[in-house]
Amino acid sequence: MSAGPHHPLRDHQPRFQGLDSGHRACQGCGEALAARLVTEAAGPDVIVSNATGCLEVFTTPWPETAWRIPWLHSLFENAASVAAGMEAAMRAQGRDTKVLAFAGDGGTFDIGMRGLSGMLERGHNVLYVCFDNEAYMNTGVQRSSSTPHAAMTTTSPPGRERMGKRHLKKDLLAIVAAHHIPYAATASVAYPSDLRKKVRRAMGIEGPTFLLVHSPCPLGWGHDSALSIEVARLAVQTGLFPVVEMERGSVASVMPIREPCPVTDYLKLQRRFRHLFADDPRAREELEHLQALADHNIEVYGLKAEGPDPLDTEGADTVRRGGMRYA
Ligand SMILES: Cc1ncc(C[n+]2csc(CCOP(=O)(O)OP(=O)(O)O)c2C)c(N)n1
């Protein structure tokens, strides 16, 4: 049936799907959704270097692939270095194909950090996307330097000695921004149009760009798989995961929070924080600590805003803080 050239539903169909159905992600996987949104917005003329991790494993069970774009499995530690080489090859051949690098937080915050830093510093024309599910999920939920403070993982179990992870989540955005690259941003699967807009923006920039996408993991975080989007939304609305854009090292825009939710709204949905709701003075102390971290984020990024709740529509969900406006 022909719906005509201007059928409203057709107009809103994504033009391109880079990650197809039939992969083996868990129900409610934030990474699968994030990767679909990123590749949808990036379009077909891309080539991906993908570090080892869940995304690589669940999309390419031998001999199948769920990718509809040229895609290469790098090592766990070198997605950025491989992407840099691919970009140099594209340039040598005079081709415009954009190179993307994909990795989890383990492959980015920890083991791929120096490759990422080198790629940013050398100014390669690569969009690096970190799918941040806040632990080494593919190998059984070990803590990474992105795991939030006090979260339970298999290597940061709560007990007599400690209340989950002792250390803070590494501020990777600040580290990346300190390379003074043209564009670095955070996004969340709970705000898909904001995420797509940021991908399109990065795609249009010549030089290194970086996107950190908060991607809930029902298995590792211990939440109902139907609640992934709600959990992701609460991470933003509590201030625990600030959604911001940085240009050349300075904050350029933020997603405002009108009515910050208490961190307990976010934490109580997840088994990894269950020990914080025990009748234990140490648990109360940790809850206060996490609330203080959220309040700190709200303060330093100036996230608190007046007016109605931000709508997740193109262009309406961020507040510019200087820098260039973009379509
Ligand atoms: C050098 C090296 N060390 C360890 C491993 C084992 N390994 C494979 S995937 C993985 C965890 C990946 O975690 P992350 O990057 O956060 O991605 P996720 O699976 O959570 O998406 C580990 C430790 C490896 N493949 N290579």
Side-chain angles (χ1 to χ4, degrees):
M1 189 182 76
S2 169
H6 299 300
H7 190 275
L9 286 179
R10 181 182 287 174
D11 286 349
H12 287 94
Q13 287 280 313
R15 257 175 273 136
F16 172 73
Q17 204 164 331
L19 177 61
D20 216 338
S21 57
H23 57 67
R24 317 243 172 122
C26 304
Q27 272 189 352
C29 171
E31 268 192 6
L33 175 57
R36 212 188 84 191
L37 292 167
V38 167
T39 48
E40 223 173 73
D45 193 15
V46 295
I47 179 165
V48 177
S49 155
N50 198 146
T52 303
C54 280
L55 183 63
E56 167 260 321
V57 169
F58 72 67
T59 58
T60 55
W62 194 86
E64 295 162 2
T65 177
W67 298 101
R68 284 176 175 269
I69 43 183
W71 178 95
L72 191 136
H73 176 205
S74 70
L75 297 178
F76 188 24
E77 57 272 43
N78 69 355
S81 312
V82 170
M86 281 158 44
E87 187 261 345
M90 291 296 147
R91 204 157 12 97
Q93 293 177 18
R95 290 172 60 176
D96 291 333
T97 302
K98 183 87 171 187
V99 178
L100 312 179
F102 289 171
D105 51 284
T108 305
F109 287 63
D110 297 338
I111 192 164
M113 174 66 105
R114 73 179 176 181
L116 171 62
S117 177
M119 189 272 279
L120 300 177
E121 184 266 329
R122 292 190 303 273
H124 289 278
N125 183 21
V126 171
L127 165 58
Y128 188 107
V129 184
C130 172
F131 299 98
D132 186 7
N133 58 22
E134 303 190 323
Y136 293 67
M137 296 307 182
N138 181 53
T139 39
V141 197
Q142 294 87 18
R143 58 85 88 189
S144 76
S145 60
S146 171
T147 303
H149 177 71
M152 173 185 70
T153 67
T154 53
T155 50
S156 62
R160 251 203 331 272
E161 295 295 321
R162 60 182 180 186
M163 296 299 280
K165 188 188 171 193
R166 263 192 292 250
H167 315 98
L168 294 175
K169 180 180 171 90
K170 187 187 280 183
D171 187 355
L172 184 73
L173 187 70
I175 296 169
V176 167
H179 292 72
H180 295 277
I181 59 171
Y183 185 72
T186 56
S188 165
V189 288
Y191 299 92
S193 64
D194 175 75
L195 169 53
R196 285 199 203 95
K197 188 177 68 182
K198 286 169 173 167
V199 172
R200 286 198 295 271
R201 170 118 208 260
M203 290 292 291
I205 292 172
E206 179 80 20
T209 49
F210 177 85
L211 197 53
L212 180 67
V213 188
H214 204 220
S215 309
C217 171
L219 181 80
W221 296 11
H223 62 268
D224 187 327
S225 57
L227 293 183
S228 281
I229 299 302
E230 178 64 2
V231 167
R233 195 185 67 79
L234 283 166
V236 175
Q237 293 298 319
T238 51
L240 283 171
F241 190 88
V243 174
V244 306
E245 289 178 301
M246 316 272 287
E247 289 172 358
R248 300 260 170 225
S250 305
V251 178
S253 85
V254 301
M255 183 181 289
I257 307 174
R258 312 286 162 164
E259 294 285 343
C261 301
V263 293
T264 46
D265 286 5
Y266 172 65
L267 305 174
K268 70 184 178 205
L269 297 177
Q270 304 170 60
R271 196 172 54 241
R272 64 178 174 159
F273 295 114
R274 189 172 52 188
H275 53 285
L276 302 183
F277 295 92
D279 186 16
D280 180 336
R282 294 181 307 156
R284 284 191 287 281
E285 210 175 287
E286 292 297 359
L287 285 177
E288 280 168 24
H289 187 178
L290 288 166
Q291 186 61 57
L293 285 171
D295 294 345
H296 177 77
N297 287 338
I298 291 170
E299 168 129 17
V300 294
Y301 283 111
L303 300 178
K304 189 87 170 67
E306 303 304 318
D309 267 345
L311 294 171
D312 181 31
T313 54
E314 310 280 328
D317 40 6
T318 57
V319 170
R320 299 298 293 171
R321 287 281 143 72
M324 283 169 359
R325 185 158 260 294
Y326 58 94

